[in-house]
């Protein structure tokens, strides 16, 4: 059972198009299969609007794509809906427009300039007018996990010991503590992003495919054949071995 998965995109439309071309080349050799994007379409990167539009149009056109919700996607839509919104899992000393979160880069891509350096009310009013409703509805409608065969795809991870259908959204899009250090067999292999690394890593019970595109790193695309994992490159497949 073949499935492709792409890590945290963070506004890097050119990287996204590139890895999609690698997937297309692999599919030409091995056959079509779903492509799962593990979330964080927006924030920090140069063309968040372009990423959202590219994926929205593709999904609506019937591409065999799954796009999952990440914590940054959730923060973006909730900020637009309510200027006073603060994500319950975000540190209290941070806000959506704080440089560590990167919301200003998202608003910049929609034409709202210098969002982090101006008064909150006019910035929010401009953002409300600039972000198309179809983009908000697309992001708000994204699923929070996808299961295919023996693999579960999710943005951040799972709360160990809880059936996937009973998992809390807060955990699926935010979790680190309690998941990353757990070495037990989760039953299904968990493929996730959210925690930035230099390269994809296979830990036996989970595979992290966030290779730091948000911070100048590459965007990772992998292909899973059952529970076997291969990193895709311009030259083809490279096995991701268990660490």
């Amino acid at each position: 059972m073949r499935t492709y998965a792409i890590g945290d995109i963070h506004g890097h439309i050119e990287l996204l198009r590139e890895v999609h071309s690698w997937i297309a080349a692999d599919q030409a050799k091995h056959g079509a299969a779903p492509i799962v994007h593990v979330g964080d379409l927006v924030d920090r990167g140069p063309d968040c609007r372009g990423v959202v539009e590219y994926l929205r149009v593709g999904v609506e056109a019937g591409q065999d794509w799954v796009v999952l919700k990440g914590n940054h996607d959730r923060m973006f839509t909730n900020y637009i809906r309510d200027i006073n919104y603060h994500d319950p899992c975000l540190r209290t000393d941070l806000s959506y427009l704080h440089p560590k979160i990167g919301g200003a880069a998202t608003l910049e891509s929609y034409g709202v300039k210098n969002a982090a350096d101006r008064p909150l009310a006019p910035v929010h009013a401009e953002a409300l007018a600039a972000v198309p409703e179809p983009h908000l509805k697309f992001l708000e409608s994204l699923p929070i996990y996808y299961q295919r065969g023996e693999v579960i795809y999710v943005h951040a991870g799972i709360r160990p010991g809880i059936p996937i259908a009973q998992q809390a959204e807060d955990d699926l899009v935010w979790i680190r503590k309690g998941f990353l250090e757990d070495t037990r067999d989760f039953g299904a292999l968990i493929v996730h992003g959210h925690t930035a690394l230099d390269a994809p890593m296979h830990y036996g019970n989970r595979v992290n495919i966030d290779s730091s595109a948000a911070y100048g790193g590459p965007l990772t695309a992998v292909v899973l054949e059952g529970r076997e994992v291969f990193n895709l490159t311009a030259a083809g497949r490279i096995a991701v071995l268990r660490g």
Side-chain angles (χ1 to χ4, degrees):
M1 182 175 289
R2 182 181 312 106
T3 312
Y4 298 88
I6 296 173
D8 302 37
I9 303 164
H10 285 292
H12 287 277
I13 186 64
E14 296 306 322
L15 295 182
L16 179 59
R17 292 182 187 277
E18 180 178 46
V19 299
H20 268 207
S21 73
W22 298 345
I23 291 172
D26 194 83
Q27 289 180 328
K29 294 179 181 179
H30 300 282
I35 304 174
V36 182
H37 308 74
V38 302
D40 276 5
L41 282 55
V42 301
D43 295 345
R44 298 181 177 139
D47 193 359
C48 300
R49 177 178 184 145
V51 169
V52 174
E53 180 68 0
Y54 175 79
L55 292 175
R56 184 189 71 84
V57 169
V59 169
E60 290 191 359
Q63 295 280 2
D64 195 4
W65 297 350
V66 176
V67 183
L68 301 178
K69 183 184 295 185
N71 60 313
H72 284 266
D73 310 315
R74 184 171 89 169
M75 284 190 287
F76 171 45
T77 57
N78 283 323
Y79 162 79
I80 297 296
R81 298 298 192 195
D82 180 3
I83 189 175
N84 295 313
Y85 175 82
H86 188 278
D87 195 289
C89 298
L90 182 64
R91 282 169 30 192
T92 56
D93 61 319
L94 299 180
S95 68
Y96 178 65
L97 297 180
H98 192 283
K100 287 188 176 181
I101 303 303
T106 301
L107 298 190
E108 178 83 19
S109 74
Y110 285 93
V112 180
K113 306 296 184 183
N114 304 313
D117 303 320
R118 296 194 286 126
L120 295 178
V123 166
H124 185 264
E126 289 178 31
L128 195 60
V131 179
E133 184 66 19
H135 281 204
L136 295 174
K137 288 184 175 179
F138 172 69
L139 293 171
E140 289 170 337
S141 71
L142 298 180
I144 52 177
Y145 73 90
Y146 175 71
Q147 184 164 10
R148 190 163 192 256
E150 297 180 53
V151 184
I152 292 173
Y153 302 84
V154 64
H155 176 63
I158 62 165
R159 179 70 62 184
I162 299 175
I164 187 63
Q166 298 174 23
Q167 294 274 334
E169 179 176 301
D170 283 355
D171 286 331
L172 296 182
V173 304
W174 274 102
I175 196 169
R176 287 193 177 99
K177 185 178 180 181
F179 168 65
L180 297 179
E181 69 272 23
D182 198 316
T183 60
R184 293 174 292 175
D185 184 356
F186 297 136
L189 179 67
I190 309 299
V191 175
H192 68 95
H194 184 57
T195 299
L197 303 173
D198 292 332
M201 290 289 293
H202 195 321
Y203 298 88
N205 60 351
R206 64 182 179 89
V207 181
N208 184 346
I209 61 172
D210 180 358
S211 51
S212 303
Y215 306 108
L219 179 60
T220 285
V222 297
V223 56
L224 288 96
E225 299 278 6
R227 294 175 71 116
E228 290 187 278
V229 186
F230 302 87
N231 191 22
L232 289 180
T233 70
R237 297 183 177 192
I238 300 173
V240 181
L241 303 177
R242 298 184 182 187

